[in-house]
Amino acid sequence: MKKIESFQVNHLNLRRGIYLSRKDYIGDNCITTFDIRMKVPNQMPVMNTAELHTIEHICATFLRNHDIYDEKTIYFGPMGCRTGFYVVFKGEFDSENVVDIITEMFKYIANYEGEVPGADAASCGNYLDMNLPMAKYEANVYLKEVLENLSYENLHYSK
């Protein structure tokens, strides 16, 4: 069986950052997937499902209401390993092109107040599994430790 691309990334050398995961083409249209890596795989404790779920709800809502990225956002969701998220945008981008929107999004989460969007029984299949204080904490740590100190190594997979 063919090994998928994300399993071919050497997770032993992977740092926290924003990585171009893949570019796919549907006709002339490019779809770009990014790996938003918040935790060092197999070294740092992973996020619990409650904060992961909360970040997912806030980010998906943020992107789909953004003045520029509303029409570009195809998907935002968690990695099964709970070390980060995937975001899929319509268009051809590199990691450097999305630093500003990812930073803006994590500042938004870190400062978020109010009800978590879609955190009710009619809107979500597991609405009780939410933790806004921990989501804000995780977003703030990622913002301060990673996004405000990005280098080439945090934007490009090592070979």
Side-chain angles (χ1 to χ4, degrees):
M1 189 178 298
K2 182 179 161 185
K3 194 173 188 181
I4 65 172
E5 287 183 42
S6 62
F7 295 160
Q8 295 179 46
V9 173
N10 185 346
H11 286 66
L12 297 173
N13 299 326
L14 193 53
R15 299 173 181 212
R16 298 182 291 168
I18 305 169
Y19 299 98
L20 170 62
S21 180
R22 60 185 294 148
K23 290 182 183 181
D24 296 291
Y25 294 88
I26 302 168
D28 294 336
N29 298 308
C30 182
I31 307 297
T32 307
T33 303
F34 291 97
D35 168 341
I36 301 173
R37 192 64 60 157
M38 294 177 66
K39 303 289 184 172
V40 177
N42 304 305
Q43 292 182 32
M44 296 177 78
V46 299
M47 287 178 278
N48 291 313
T49 59
E51 52 264 26
L52 195 76
H53 191 197
T54 305
I55 292 170
E56 174 194 15
H57 275 237
I58 295 171
C59 286
T61 302
F62 171 82
L63 288 169
R64 289 187 177 91
N65 284 280
H66 194 272
D67 290 342
I68 297 169
Y69 281 84
D70 59 341
E71 295 294 322
K72 296 178 183 183
T73 302
I74 294 174
Y75 173 76
F76 181 90
M79 296 176 179
C81 62
R82 297 183 293 154
T83 62
F85 295 86
Y86 285 113
V87 62
V88 182
F89 291 128
K90 177 174 57 176
E92 191 161 350
F93 301 96
D94 291 314
S95 295
E96 290 85 356
N97 303 132
V98 297
V99 168
D100 289 345
I101 186 63
I102 301 302
T103 301
E104 181 182 346
M105 182 170 64
F106 275 88
K107 284 180 181 176
Y108 182 78
I109 301 163
N111 296 304
Y112 190 84
E113 296 294 333
E115 296 295 317
V116 175
D120 60 82
S123 304
C124 178
N126 194 13
Y127 78 100
L128 295 175
D129 190 28
M130 299 276 179
N131 188 336
L132 181 57
M134 279 305 297
K136 292 172 65 165
Y137 170 82
E138 291 288 0
N140 194 51
V141 168
Y142 185 66
L143 184 64
K144 300 294 183 201
E145 293 182 2
V146 181
L147 295 177
E148 292 179 0
N149 297 293
L150 286 171
S151 67
Y152 182 89
E153 290 77 20
N154 303 106
L155 296 169
H156 301 273
Y157 288 134
S158 63
K159 300 292 178 203

